[in-house]
Amino acid sequence: MLNFAIIGLGGLGKVHFRNYFEIKEKFKSDINLVALCDVDETQFTKEITTNLGGDTAPIDVSAFKLYTDVDELLANEKLDFVNVVVPTYEHSTVTLKVLNKGISALC
């Protein structure tokens, strides 16, 4: 079982969140989403609209640990990889924090 977190729950982060459930079911994948992180805690319940279309309803985050600080997430969770879905200008900062902890990053 590979444990992972999603960092960034804006429009694309929510798309990745929803896709996790489809991948896990369709491919019987051995991945386990354990935590979500966004500096703006309103993103955990906010409706979204993206240029990708699709579901704009709020996501159900009740089964996951929630963080508003990347450093706290990385210190408290045992992760095999992290899905970095923050704004582009923050990719390198967040990804380097993840990699420096010895965790793989999908960015």
Side-chain angles (χ1 to χ4, degrees), residues 13 73 80 85:
L73 164 75
D80 297 293
V85 200

Side-chain angles (χ1 to χ4, degrees), residues 12 85-93 107:
L12 193 53
V85 200
V86 296
T88 304
Y89 67 90
E90 289 289 337
H91 281 185
S92 62
T93 302
C107 180

Side-chain angles (χ1 to χ4, degrees), residues 11-96:
L12 193 53
K14 287 184 175 75
V15 170
H16 285 231
F17 177 85
R18 288 190 175 96
N19 288 343
Y20 158 71
F21 296 100
E22 291 179 32
I23 291 168
K24 189 163 178 75
E25 176 63 28
K26 184 174 183 177
F27 299 106
K28 306 301 182 212
S29 180
D30 197 21
I31 58 174
N32 184 42
L33 178 60
V34 296
L36 304 167
C37 182
D38 197 288
V39 295
D40 178 2
E41 68 184 69
T42 66
Q43 292 292 31
F44 298 132
T45 57
K46 195 178 202 180
E47 293 181 12
I48 55 108
T49 303
T50 71
N51 61 353
L52 301 173
D55 191 357
T56 60
I59 58 176
D60 179 7
V61 299
S62 60
F64 307 98
K65 294 180 186 173
L66 305 177
Y67 293 90
T68 56
D69 183 273
V70 171
D71 296 320
E72 184 181 347
L73 164 75
L74 297 175
N76 292 328
E77 298 298 329
K78 184 174 181 191
L79 302 168
D80 297 293
F81 70 97
V82 171
N83 190 349
V84 179
V85 200
V86 296
T88 304
Y89 67 90
E90 289 289 337
H91 281 185
S92 62
T93 302
V94 173
T95 300
L96 285 172

